[in-house]
Amino acid sequence: TWEGQRKWASKMNIHEYRITGREIPSDKKPHPTLFRLSVYAPNPVFAQSRYWYYLRQYKSLKKANGQIIQIEQMKEKPEKKNVKIFGINFVYRSRQRIHNASKEFRDISKLGAVRQLYMEMAGKHHVNFRGISIVDVKQIPPGKAKRESTKQFLNPKIKFPLPHRVLRPASKQFSDHFRPTKGTTHYCQIQHRSRLCVCQNVLRQIQIKYR
C-alpha cells in the first residue's frame, strides 16, 4: 500500500539483495538458464517482487513459471574517513515518458549513494520508488567526475567558514529565557566569561570605531 511505502521510504532502510532464479525445469528444458540480478529494496519480499518484475519485462518469464534459487543480502562495511564518488545509471518514469539518466553522489558507501538518489529524485522530480530502475552503481575516480556539484569538493584547499555560531551556556543555571538586548551569532575568538555579553560589547566597540 501507499501508506506502507511512505513509512519505509521516510526511514530509507534500503538494502542490496543479489537474487538468483530460473525457469522451472521441464522435459523440454531440463537445465534452464539461471538469471542473477542485484536489487535495492527494503526487505527480501519486496526484492523478490522487483526481481520478477524485471524478468517478466526483459526475459518474458513470470513468477508462476519460475523459481528462486538463492537470495543473498550484500553487506558493505563503510569507511567513515574515506568519502568516495559513486556514479549511478538508472531509468525513471516521469509523467510524460521514460528517461535514461545518470547522477554522481559523494558518500562513504554504495547504499548511501543509492539512498541519496531516491531522496533527490523524490524531492526534485516527484518520482515514486517503483518508477526508478537502477541499471548500474560503480565507483568513479576523482579525476573522471563530471558533475560540478561533485567537482567542487575535490579542491584540497576547500574551506568551510563558520561566520555565525550559537553560543550555548555551560549549564542550565546560566541560561536566560529573556534578555534585555538582542543576541548575536557572529563568531568571536575571545575567551568570554559571561557568554554573549563580552561578544556583544566587543561588537559595539567595533561598530562605534568604524562609523
Side-chain angles (χ1 to χ4, degrees):
T1 61
W2 287 102
E3 292 184 3
Q5 240 182 1
R6 289 194 194 100
K7 287 182 181 179
W8 67 257
S10 60
K11 298 179 181 179
M12 295 304 294
N13 294 327
I14 298 178
H15 308 283
E16 182 183 2
Y17 295 94
R18 183 173 293 175
I19 305 176
T20 305
R22 66 174 182 177
E23 186 180 355
I24 296 177
S26 61
D27 296 336
K28 294 182 179 180
K29 290 184 179 180
H31 303 288
T33 306
L34 294 173
F35 300 101
R36 177 177 290 176
L37 189 65
S38 294
V39 181
Y40 295 91
N43 51 60
V45 177
F46 201 99
Q48 291 183 53
S49 175
R50 299 299 292 174
Y51 175 80
W52 290 118
Y53 168 78
Y54 292 128
L55 283 190
R56 185 175 67 252
Q57 189 173 5
Y58 296 106
K59 297 297 181 181
S60 301
L61 178 60
K62 298 191 300 182
K63 180 181 179 181
N65 301 328
Q67 59 181 180
I68 300 293
I69 303 299
Q70 183 184 20
I71 301 177
E72 182 182 5
Q73 181 178 349
M74 308 302 295
K75 295 184 179 181
E76 180 184 8
K77 188 176 181 180
E79 300 178 9
K80 296 183 178 180
K81 296 184 179 180
N82 187 10
V83 179
K84 306 172 187 177
I85 302 174
F86 293 94
I88 304 178
N89 300 324
F90 62 100
V91 181
Y92 73 96
R93 184 188 298 275
S94 67
R95 297 176 182 176
Q96 289 79 22
R97 57 193 179 91
I98 298 176
H99 308 266
N100 296 322
S102 63
K103 286 183 176 292
E104 293 177 359
F105 297 97
R106 298 178 73 253
D107 208 289
I108 58 176
S109 65
K110 187 193 298 185
L111 286 178
V114 173
R115 293 190 186 103
Q116 290 188 48
L117 170 69
Y118 282 114
M119 293 178 68
E120 181 174 325
M121 294 302 295
K124 291 185 177 180
H125 302 278
H126 303 281
V127 181
N128 189 21
F129 178 84
R130 293 180 179 271
I132 300 175
S133 300
I134 297 178
V135 178
D136 185 24
V137 181
K138 58 183 178 181
Q139 185 178 348
I140 299 175
K144 294 185 179 180
K146 298 180 180 179
R147 306 285 179 177
E148 291 297 332
S149 59
T150 306
K151 292 167 64 176
Q152 65 180 349
F153 293 100
L154 300 179
N155 184 9
K157 296 183 180 180
I158 188 172
K159 296 181 180 180
F160 300 93
L162 299 174
H164 296 272
R165 296 186 184 181
V166 179
L167 301 177
R168 301 189 180 279
S171 61
K172 192 174 182 180
Q173 61 180 346
F174 297 112
S175 62
D176 297 329
H177 294 286
F178 304 98
R179 294 176 183 173
T181 58
K182 185 179 180 181
T184 178
T185 59
H186 288 279
Y187 179 63
C188 183
Q189 294 182 350
I190 296 178
Q191 296 295 332
H192 48 279
R193 299 175 182 176
S194 59
R195 291 294 174 180
L196 290 175
C197 296
V198 176
C199 290
Q200 289 175 357
N201 293 334
V202 173
L203 288 174
R204 289 196 196 98
Q205 295 176 7
I206 294 175
Q207 291 175 359
I208 295 171
K209 182 178 179 181
Y210 289 98
R211 278 182 180 176

PDB file of all heavy atoms in Angstrom, residues 178-211:
ATOM      1  N   PHE A 178      14.826  35.310  28.823  1.00  0.00           N
ATOM      2  CA  PHE A 178      14.546  36.679  28.391  1.00  0.00           C
ATOM      3  C   PHE A 178      15.795  37.524  28.618  1.00  0.00           C
ATOM      4  O   PHE A 178      16.416  37.471  29.687  1.00  0.00           O
ATOM      5  CB  PHE A 178      13.370  37.267  29.171  1.00  0.00           C
ATOM      6  CG  PHE A 178      12.120  36.435  29.079  1.00  0.00           C
ATOM      7  CD1 PHE A 178      11.788  35.555  30.102  1.00  0.00           C
ATOM      8  CD2 PHE A 178      11.300  36.511  27.968  1.00  0.00           C
ATOM      9  CE1 PHE A 178      10.651  34.774  30.020  1.00  0.00           C
ATOM     10  CE2 PHE A 178      10.163  35.729  27.876  1.00  0.00           C
ATOM     11  CZ  PHE A 178       9.833  34.871  28.901  1.00  0.00           C
ATOM     12  N   ARG A 179      16.176  38.318  27.642  1.00  0.00           N
ATOM     13  CA  ARG A 179      17.357  39.164  27.727  1.00  0.00           C
ATOM     14  C   ARG A 179      16.994  40.602  27.367  1.00  0.00           C
ATOM     15  O   ARG A 179      16.118  40.822  26.526  1.00  0.00           O
ATOM     16  CB  ARG A 179      18.442  38.668  26.773  1.00  0.00           C
ATOM     17  CG  ARG A 179      19.001  37.302  27.167  1.00  0.00           C
ATOM     18  CD  ARG A 179      19.997  36.801  26.173  1.00  0.00           C
ATOM     19  NE  ARG A 179      20.478  35.468  26.525  1.00  0.00           N
ATOM     20  CZ  ARG A 179      21.258  34.726  25.748  1.00  0.00           C
ATOM     21  NH1 ARG A 179      21.618  35.178  24.574  1.00  0.00           N
ATOM     22  NH2 ARG A 179      21.659  33.541  26.147  1.00  0.00           N
ATOM     23  N   PRO A 180      17.677  41.557  27.954  1.00  0.00           N
ATOM     24  CA  PRO A 180      17.369  42.968  27.638  1.00  0.00           C
ATOM     25  C   PRO A 180      17.874  43.413  26.277  1.00  0.00           C
ATOM     26  O   PRO A 180      17.382  44.380  25.713  1.00  0.00           O
ATOM     27  CB  PRO A 180      18.072  43.745  28.764  1.00  0.00           C
ATOM     28  CG  PRO A 180      19.192  42.836  29.172  1.00  0.00           C
ATOM     29  CD  PRO A 180      18.665  41.445  29.030  1.00  0.00           C
ATOM     30  N   THR A 181      18.857  42.691  25.732  1.00  0.00           N
ATOM     31  CA  THR A 181      19.435  43.055  24.432  1.00  0.00           C
ATOM     32  C   THR A 181      19.269  41.899  23.452  1.00  0.00           C
ATOM     33  O   THR A 181      19.106  40.739  23.856  1.00  0.00           O
ATOM     34  CB  THR A 181      20.925  43.402  24.563  1.00  0.00           C
ATOM     35  OG1 THR A 181      21.605  42.275  25.128  1.00  0.00           O
ATOM     36  CG2 THR A 181      21.112  44.624  25.456  1.00  0.00           C
ATOM     37  N   LYS A 182      19.341  42.230  22.180  1.00  0.00           N
ATOM     38  CA  LYS A 182      19.219  41.233  21.133  1.00  0.00           C
ATOM     39  C   LYS A 182      20.497  40.409  21.041  1.00  0.00           C
ATOM     40  O   LYS A 182      21.607  40.959  21.034  1.00  0.00           O
ATOM     41  CB  LYS A 182      18.939  41.914  19.796  1.00  0.00           C
ATOM     42  CG  LYS A 182      18.684  40.952  18.655  1.00  0.00           C
ATOM     43  CD  LYS A 182      18.384  41.713  17.378  1.00  0.00           C
ATOM     44  CE  LYS A 182      18.135  40.742  16.234  1.00  0.00           C
ATOM     45  NZ  LYS A 182      17.854  41.465  14.957  1.00  0.00           N
ATOM     46  N   GLY A 183      20.377  39.110  20.970  1.00  0.00           N
ATOM     47  CA  GLY A 183      21.545  38.249  20.886  1.00  0.00           C
ATOM     48  C   GLY A 183      22.214  38.310  19.529  1.00  0.00           C
ATOM     49  O   GLY A 183      21.611  38.711  18.527  1.00  0.00           O
ATOM     50  N   THR A 184      23.480  37.913  19.467  1.00  0.00           N
ATOM     51  CA  THR A 184      24.232  37.883  18.220  1.00  0.00           C
ATOM     52  C   THR A 184      24.866  36.522  18.037  1.00  0.00           C
ATOM     53  O   THR A 184      25.184  35.833  19.019  1.00  0.00           O
ATOM     54  CB  THR A 184      25.317  38.968  18.200  1.00  0.00           C
ATOM     55  OG1 THR A 184      26.052  38.869  16.970  1.00  0.00           O
ATOM     56  CG2 THR A 184      26.286  38.818  19.358  1.00  0.00           C
ATOM     57  N   THR A 185      25.014  36.124  16.790  1.00  0.00           N
ATOM     58  CA  THR A 185      25.631  34.834  16.478  1.00  0.00           C
ATOM     59  C   THR A 185      26.959  34.997  15.754  1.00  0.00           C
ATOM     60  O   THR A 185      27.519  34.023  15.274  1.00  0.00           O
ATOM     61  CB  THR A 185      24.687  33.994  15.603  1.00  0.00           C
ATOM     62  OG1 THR A 185      24.411  34.702  14.391  1.00  0.00           O
ATOM     63  CG2 THR A 185      23.395  33.710  16.337  1.00  0.00           C
ATOM     64  N   HIS A 186      27.478  36.230  15.642  1.00  0.00           N
ATOM     65  CA  HIS A 186      28.756  36.457  14.973  1.00  0.00           C
ATOM     66  C   HIS A 186      29.867  35.811  15.777  1.00  0.00           C
ATOM     67  O   HIS A 186      29.967  35.999  16.997  1.00  0.00           O
ATOM     68  CB  HIS A 186      29.026  37.950  14.803  1.00  0.00           C
ATOM     69  CG  HIS A 186      28.153  38.576  13.766  1.00  0.00           C
ATOM     70  ND1 HIS A 186      28.420  38.495  12.422  1.00  0.00           N
ATOM     71  CD2 HIS A 186      27.000  39.285  13.880  1.00  0.00           C
ATOM     72  CE1 HIS A 186      27.476  39.127  11.742  1.00  0.00           C
ATOM     73  NE2 HIS A 186      26.598  39.612  12.596  1.00  0.00           N
ATOM     74  N   TYR A 187      30.724  35.072  15.082  1.00  0.00           N
ATOM     75  CA  TYR A 187      31.787  34.337  15.758  1.00  0.00           C
ATOM     76  C   TYR A 187      32.861  35.289  16.264  1.00  0.00           C
ATOM     77  O   TYR A 187      33.287  36.209  15.566  1.00  0.00           O
ATOM     78  CB  TYR A 187      32.408  33.323  14.804  1.00  0.00           C
ATOM     79  CG  TYR A 187      33.536  32.540  15.419  1.00  0.00           C
ATOM     80  CD1 TYR A 187      33.314  31.698  16.496  1.00  0.00           C
ATOM     81  CD2 TYR A 187      34.825  32.634  14.914  1.00  0.00           C
ATOM     82  CE1 TYR A 187      34.333  30.973  17.070  1.00  0.00           C
ATOM     83  CE2 TYR A 187      35.858  31.908  15.479  1.00  0.00           C
ATOM     84  CZ  TYR A 187      35.605  31.085  16.557  1.00  0.00           C
ATOM     85  OH  TYR A 187      36.622  30.377  17.117  1.00  0.00           O
ATOM     86  N   CYS A 188      33.300  35.064  17.485  1.00  0.00           N
ATOM     87  CA  CYS A 188      34.303  35.937  18.100  1.00  0.00           C
ATOM     88  C   CYS A 188      35.304  35.061  18.847  1.00  0.00           C
ATOM     89  O   CYS A 188      34.914  34.277  19.714  1.00  0.00           O
ATOM     90  CB  CYS A 188      33.626  36.926  19.051  1.00  0.00           C
ATOM     91  SG  CYS A 188      34.763  38.105  19.786  1.00  0.00           S
ATOM     92  N   GLN A 189      36.591  35.189  18.549  1.00  0.00           N
ATOM     93  CA  GLN A 189      37.632  34.370  19.167  1.00  0.00           C
ATOM     94  C   GLN A 189      38.128  35.018  20.455  1.00  0.00           C
ATOM     95  O   GLN A 189      39.299  35.350  20.607  1.00  0.00           O
ATOM     96  CB  GLN A 189      38.790  34.162  18.192  1.00  0.00           C
ATOM     97  CG  GLN A 189      38.421  33.330  16.977  1.00  0.00           C
ATOM     98  CD  GLN A 189      39.604  33.119  16.071  1.00  0.00           C
ATOM     99  OE1 GLN A 189      40.646  33.738  16.256  1.00  0.00           O
ATOM    100  NE2 GLN A 189      39.448  32.253  15.100  1.00  0.00           N
ATOM    101  N   ILE A 190      37.255  35.210  21.389  1.00  0.00           N
ATOM    102  CA  ILE A 190      37.594  35.834  22.659  1.00  0.00           C
ATOM    103  C   ILE A 190      37.148  34.913  23.786  1.00  0.00           C
ATOM    104  O   ILE A 190      36.033  34.374  23.761  1.00  0.00           O
ATOM    105  CB  ILE A 190      36.919  37.219  22.795  1.00  0.00           C
ATOM    106  CG1 ILE A 190      37.463  38.166  21.726  1.00  0.00           C
ATOM    107  CG2 ILE A 190      37.145  37.799  24.184  1.00  0.00           C
ATOM    108  CD1 ILE A 190      36.817  39.524  21.758  1.00  0.00           C
ATOM    109  N   GLN A 191      38.004  34.722  24.747  1.00  0.00           N
ATOM    110  CA  GLN A 191      37.649  33.913  25.899  1.00  0.00           C
ATOM    111  C   GLN A 191      36.717  34.724  26.787  1.00  0.00           C
ATOM    112  O   GLN A 191      37.146  35.557  27.577  1.00  0.00           O
ATOM    113  CB  GLN A 191      38.922  33.510  26.665  1.00  0.00           C
ATOM    114  CG  GLN A 191      39.879  32.634  25.895  1.00  0.00           C
ATOM    115  CD  GLN A 191      39.264  31.279  25.596  1.00  0.00           C
ATOM    116  OE1 GLN A 191      38.409  30.807  26.327  1.00  0.00           O
ATOM    117  NE2 GLN A 191      39.696  30.667  24.508  1.00  0.00           N
ATOM    118  N   HIS A 192      35.424  34.543  26.606  1.00  0.00           N
ATOM    119  CA  HIS A 192      34.450  35.351  27.314  1.00  0.00           C
ATOM    120  C   HIS A 192      34.013  34.648  28.585  1.00  0.00           C
ATOM    121  O   HIS A 192      34.003  33.429  28.675  1.00  0.00           O
ATOM    122  CB  HIS A 192      33.232  35.634  26.420  1.00  0.00           C
ATOM    123  CG  HIS A 192      32.713  34.411  25.740  1.00  0.00           C
ATOM    124  ND1 HIS A 192      33.281  33.909  24.600  1.00  0.00           N
ATOM    125  CD2 HIS A 192      31.683  33.600  26.071  1.00  0.00           C
ATOM    126  CE1 HIS A 192      32.623  32.827  24.230  1.00  0.00           C
ATOM    127  NE2 HIS A 192      31.653  32.613  25.104  1.00  0.00           N
ATOM    128  N   ARG A 193      33.631  35.456  29.549  1.00  0.00           N
ATOM    129  CA  ARG A 193      33.219  34.907  30.838  1.00  0.00           C
ATOM    130  C   ARG A 193      31.716  34.726  30.924  1.00  0.00           C
ATOM    131  O   ARG A 193      31.229  33.720  31.406  1.00  0.00           O
ATOM    132  CB  ARG A 193      33.695  35.837  31.960  1.00  0.00           C
ATOM    133  CG  ARG A 193      35.209  35.984  32.009  1.00  0.00           C
ATOM    134  CD  ARG A 193      35.606  37.001  33.056  1.00  0.00           C
ATOM    135  NE  ARG A 193      37.057  37.204  33.084  1.00  0.00           N
ATOM    136  CZ  ARG A 193      37.665  38.088  33.841  1.00  0.00           C
ATOM    137  NH1 ARG A 193      36.952  38.876  34.636  1.00  0.00           N
ATOM    138  NH2 ARG A 193      38.978  38.203  33.798  1.00  0.00           N
ATOM    139  N   SER A 194      31.006  35.716  30.475  1.00  0.00           N
ATOM    140  CA  SER A 194      29.544  35.650  30.607  1.00  0.00           C
ATOM    141  C   SER A 194      28.887  35.418  29.254  1.00  0.00           C
ATOM    142  O   SER A 194      27.908  36.061  28.910  1.00  0.00           O
ATOM    143  CB  SER A 194      29.032  36.943  31.236  1.00  0.00           C
ATOM    144  OG  SER A 194      29.395  38.047  30.429  1.00  0.00           O
ATOM    145  N   ARG A 195      29.485  34.556  28.465  1.00  0.00           N
ATOM    146  CA  ARG A 195      28.911  34.136  27.182  1.00  0.00           C
ATOM    147  C   ARG A 195      28.722  35.301  26.233  1.00  0.00           C
ATOM    148  O   ARG A 195      29.684  35.946  25.849  1.00  0.00           O
ATOM    149  CB  ARG A 195      27.601  33.385  27.421  1.00  0.00           C
ATOM    150  CG  ARG A 195      27.800  32.033  28.073  1.00  0.00           C
ATOM    151  CD  ARG A 195      28.551  31.112  27.132  1.00  0.00           C
ATOM    152  NE  ARG A 195      28.887  29.855  27.750  1.00  0.00           N
ATOM    153  CZ  ARG A 195      29.544  28.902  27.130  1.00  0.00           C
ATOM    154  NH1 ARG A 195      29.929  29.068  25.894  1.00  0.00           N
ATOM    155  NH2 ARG A 195      29.841  27.795  27.757  1.00  0.00           N
ATOM    156  N   LEU A 196      27.499  35.668  25.920  1.00  0.00           N
ATOM    157  CA  LEU A 196      27.235  36.638  24.867  1.00  0.00           C
ATOM    158  C   LEU A 196      27.541  38.069  25.268  1.00  0.00           C
ATOM    159  O   LEU A 196      27.709  38.914  24.401  1.00  0.00           O
ATOM    160  CB  LEU A 196      25.761  36.553  24.442  1.00  0.00           C
ATOM    161  CG  LEU A 196      25.353  35.298  23.676  1.00  0.00           C
ATOM    162  CD1 LEU A 196      23.853  35.307  23.438  1.00  0.00           C
ATOM    163  CD2 LEU A 196      26.082  35.213  22.356  1.00  0.00           C
ATOM    164  N   CYS A 197      27.639  38.364  26.560  1.00  0.00           N
ATOM    165  CA  CYS A 197      27.796  39.758  26.978  1.00  0.00           C
ATOM    166  C   CYS A 197      29.099  40.354  26.463  1.00  0.00           C
ATOM    167  O   CYS A 197      29.131  41.462  25.936  1.00  0.00           O
ATOM    168  CB  CYS A 197      27.747  39.846  28.499  1.00  0.00           C
ATOM    169  SG  CYS A 197      26.145  39.342  29.176  1.00  0.00           S
ATOM    170  N   VAL A 198      30.220  39.621  26.619  1.00  0.00           N
ATOM    171  CA  VAL A 198      31.520  40.134  26.188  1.00  0.00           C
ATOM    172  C   VAL A 198      31.538  40.309  24.675  1.00  0.00           C
ATOM    173  O   VAL A 198      32.018  41.312  24.157  1.00  0.00           O
ATOM    174  CB  VAL A 198      32.642  39.190  26.651  1.00  0.00           C
ATOM    175  CG1 VAL A 198      33.985  39.651  26.119  1.00  0.00           C
ATOM    176  CG2 VAL A 198      32.662  39.102  28.163  1.00  0.00           C
ATOM    177  N   CYS A 199      31.015  39.327  23.934  1.00  0.00           N
ATOM    178  CA  CYS A 199      30.989  39.428  22.477  1.00  0.00           C
ATOM    179  C   CYS A 199      30.148  40.607  22.019  1.00  0.00           C
ATOM    180  O   CYS A 199      30.508  41.305  21.073  1.00  0.00           O
ATOM    181  CB  CYS A 199      30.438  38.132  21.874  1.00  0.00           C
ATOM    182  SG  CYS A 199      31.554  36.733  22.053  1.00  0.00           S
ATOM    183  N   GLN A 200      29.049  40.863  22.685  1.00  0.00           N
ATOM    184  CA  GLN A 200      28.207  41.986  22.313  1.00  0.00           C
ATOM    185  C   GLN A 200      28.929  43.311  22.562  1.00  0.00           C
ATOM    186  O   GLN A 200      28.857  44.234  21.751  1.00  0.00           O
ATOM    187  CB  GLN A 200      26.894  41.941  23.102  1.00  0.00           C
ATOM    188  CG  GLN A 200      25.971  40.808  22.667  1.00  0.00           C
ATOM    189  CD  GLN A 200      24.754  40.703  23.537  1.00  0.00           C
ATOM    190  OE1 GLN A 200      24.622  41.441  24.507  1.00  0.00           O
ATOM    191  NE2 GLN A 200      23.874  39.780  23.204  1.00  0.00           N
ATOM    192  N   ASN A 201      29.667  43.404  23.683  1.00  0.00           N
ATOM    193  CA  ASN A 201      30.407  44.634  23.971  1.00  0.00           C
ATOM    194  C   ASN A 201      31.502  44.880  22.939  1.00  0.00           C
ATOM    195  O   ASN A 201      31.721  46.015  22.496  1.00  0.00           O
ATOM    196  CB  ASN A 201      31.017  44.555  25.376  1.00  0.00           C
ATOM    197  CG  ASN A 201      29.953  44.558  26.464  1.00  0.00           C
ATOM    198  OD1 ASN A 201      28.856  45.088  26.249  1.00  0.00           O
ATOM    199  ND2 ASN A 201      30.256  43.948  27.605  1.00  0.00           N
ATOM    200  N   VAL A 202      32.209  43.827  22.539  1.00  0.00           N
ATOM    201  CA  VAL A 202      33.259  43.970  21.539  1.00  0.00           C
ATOM    202  C   VAL A 202      32.677  44.406  20.203  1.00  0.00           C
ATOM    203  O   VAL A 202      33.221  45.280  19.517  1.00  0.00           O
ATOM    204  CB  VAL A 202      34.035  42.649  21.383  1.00  0.00           C
ATOM    205  CG1 VAL A 202      35.005  42.731  20.220  1.00  0.00           C
ATOM    206  CG2 VAL A 202      34.782  42.328  22.672  1.00  0.00           C
ATOM    207  N   LEU A 203      31.538  43.818  19.829  1.00  0.00           N
ATOM    208  CA  LEU A 203      30.902  44.200  18.562  1.00  0.00           C
ATOM    209  C   LEU A 203      30.425  45.642  18.596  1.00  0.00           C
ATOM    210  O   LEU A 203      30.508  46.358  17.600  1.00  0.00           O
ATOM    211  CB  LEU A 203      29.732  43.259  18.271  1.00  0.00           C
ATOM    212  CG  LEU A 203      30.123  41.836  17.851  1.00  0.00           C
ATOM    213  CD1 LEU A 203      28.876  40.962  17.744  1.00  0.00           C
ATOM    214  CD2 LEU A 203      30.853  41.849  16.521  1.00  0.00           C
ATOM    215  N   ARG A 204      29.942  46.111  19.745  1.00  0.00           N
ATOM    216  CA  ARG A 204      29.521  47.513  19.857  1.00  0.00           C
ATOM    217  C   ARG A 204      30.709  48.449  19.682  1.00  0.00           C
ATOM    218  O   ARG A 204      30.625  49.476  18.996  1.00  0.00           O
ATOM    219  CB  ARG A 204      28.850  47.746  21.215  1.00  0.00           C
ATOM    220  CG  ARG A 204      27.489  47.105  21.349  1.00  0.00           C
ATOM    221  CD  ARG A 204      26.738  47.689  22.541  1.00  0.00           C
ATOM    222  NE  ARG A 204      25.609  46.851  22.906  1.00  0.00           N
ATOM    223  CZ  ARG A 204      25.632  45.957  23.883  1.00  0.00           C
ATOM    224  NH1 ARG A 204      26.745  45.777  24.593  1.00  0.00           N
ATOM    225  NH2 ARG A 204      24.567  45.224  24.149  1.00  0.00           N
ATOM    226  N   GLN A 205      31.859  48.108  20.293  1.00  0.00           N
ATOM    227  CA  GLN A 205      33.051  48.942  20.154  1.00  0.00           C
ATOM    228  C   GLN A 205      33.533  48.988  18.702  1.00  0.00           C
ATOM    229  O   GLN A 205      33.956  50.032  18.206  1.00  0.00           O
ATOM    230  CB  GLN A 205      34.163  48.414  21.063  1.00  0.00           C
ATOM    231  CG  GLN A 205      33.847  48.524  22.554  1.00  0.00           C
ATOM    232  CD  GLN A 205      34.918  47.910  23.413  1.00  0.00           C
ATOM    233  OE1 GLN A 205      35.971  47.506  22.906  1.00  0.00           O
ATOM    234  NE2 GLN A 205      34.672  47.835  24.717  1.00  0.00           N
ATOM    235  N   ILE A 206      33.460  47.852  18.013  1.00  0.00           N
ATOM    236  CA  ILE A 206      33.877  47.821  16.603  1.00  0.00           C
ATOM    237  C   ILE A 206      32.941  48.674  15.753  1.00  0.00           C
ATOM    238  O   ILE A 206      33.370  49.413  14.870  1.00  0.00           O
ATOM    239  CB  ILE A 206      33.904  46.364  16.106  1.00  0.00           C
ATOM    240  CG1 ILE A 206      35.003  45.577  16.837  1.00  0.00           C
ATOM    241  CG2 ILE A 206      34.148  46.317  14.587  1.00  0.00           C
ATOM    242  CD1 ILE A 206      35.017  44.102  16.502  1.00  0.00           C
ATOM    243  N   GLN A 207      31.636  48.613  16.026  1.00  0.00           N
ATOM    244  CA  GLN A 207      30.676  49.398  15.255  1.00  0.00           C
ATOM    245  C   GLN A 207      30.886  50.890  15.494  1.00  0.00           C
ATOM    246  O   GLN A 207      30.836  51.708  14.570  1.00  0.00           O
ATOM    247  CB  GLN A 207      29.250  48.996  15.633  1.00  0.00           C
ATOM    248  CG  GLN A 207      28.870  47.589  15.159  1.00  0.00           C
ATOM    249  CD  GLN A 207      27.513  47.178  15.660  1.00  0.00           C
ATOM    250  OE1 GLN A 207      26.859  47.930  16.375  1.00  0.00           O
ATOM    251  NE2 GLN A 207      27.097  45.964  15.287  1.00  0.00           N
ATOM    252  N   ILE A 208      31.174  51.275  16.758  1.00  0.00           N
ATOM    253  CA  ILE A 208      31.432  52.702  17.055  1.00  0.00           C
ATOM    254  C   ILE A 208      32.720  53.183  16.396  1.00  0.00           C
ATOM    255  O   ILE A 208      32.818  54.288  15.881  1.00  0.00           O
ATOM    256  CB  ILE A 208      31.485  52.905  18.580  1.00  0.00           C
ATOM    257  CG1 ILE A 208      30.102  52.613  19.199  1.00  0.00           C
ATOM    258  CG2 ILE A 208      31.928  54.329  18.921  1.00  0.00           C
ATOM    259  CD1 ILE A 208      30.100  52.579  20.696  1.00  0.00           C
ATOM    260  N   LYS A 209      33.724  52.326  16.366  1.00  0.00           N
ATOM    261  CA  LYS A 209      35.019  52.708  15.815  1.00  0.00           C
ATOM    262  C   LYS A 209      34.953  52.961  14.325  1.00  0.00           C
ATOM    263  O   LYS A 209      35.593  53.882  13.789  1.00  0.00           O
ATOM    264  CB  LYS A 209      36.043  51.626  16.138  1.00  0.00           C
ATOM    265  CG  LYS A 209      37.453  51.960  15.653  1.00  0.00           C
ATOM    266  CD  LYS A 209      38.416  50.867  16.066  1.00  0.00           C
ATOM    267  CE  LYS A 209      39.829  51.173  15.569  1.00  0.00           C
ATOM    268  NZ  LYS A 209      40.788  50.106  15.946  1.00  0.00           N
ATOM    269  N   TYR A 210      34.201  52.162  13.601  1.00  0.00           N
ATOM    270  CA  TYR A 210      34.169  52.270  12.143  1.00  0.00           C
ATOM    271  C   TYR A 210      32.926  53.008  11.628  1.00  0.00           C
ATOM    272  O   TYR A 210      32.560  52.863  10.484  1.00  0.00           O
ATOM    273  CB  TYR A 210      34.211  50.855  11.531  1.00  0.00           C
ATOM    274  CG  TYR A 210      35.570  50.201  11.686  1.00  0.00           C
ATOM    275  CD1 TYR A 210      35.776  49.307  12.732  1.00  0.00           C
ATOM    276  CD2 TYR A 210      36.619  50.510  10.849  1.00  0.00           C
ATOM    277  CE1 TYR A 210      37.011  48.696  12.896  1.00  0.00           C
ATOM    278  CE2 TYR A 210      37.856  49.903  11.003  1.00  0.00           C
ATOM    279  CZ  TYR A 210      38.042  48.997  12.031  1.00  0.00           C
ATOM    280  OH  TYR A 210      39.266  48.405  12.201  1.00  0.00           O
ATOM    281  N   ARG A 211      32.263  53.777  12.450  1.00  0.00           N
ATOM    282  CA  ARG A 211      31.148  54.569  11.962  1.00  0.00           C
ATOM    283  C   ARG A 211      31.643  55.780  11.183  1.00  0.00           C
ATOM    284  O   ARG A 211      32.658  56.347  11.476  1.00  0.00           O
ATOM    285  CB  ARG A 211      30.285  55.028  13.150  1.00  0.00           C
ATOM    286  CG  ARG A 211      29.307  53.952  13.599  1.00  0.00           C
ATOM    287  CD  ARG A 211      28.455  54.474  14.728  1.00  0.00           C
ATOM    288  NE  ARG A 211      27.523  53.437  15.162  1.00  0.00           N
ATOM    289  CZ  ARG A 211      26.698  53.599  16.192  1.00  0.00           C
ATOM    290  NH1 ARG A 211      26.710  54.698  16.904  1.00  0.00           N
ATOM    291  NH2 ARG A 211      25.867  52.607  16.510  1.00  0.00           N
TER     292      ARG A 211
END
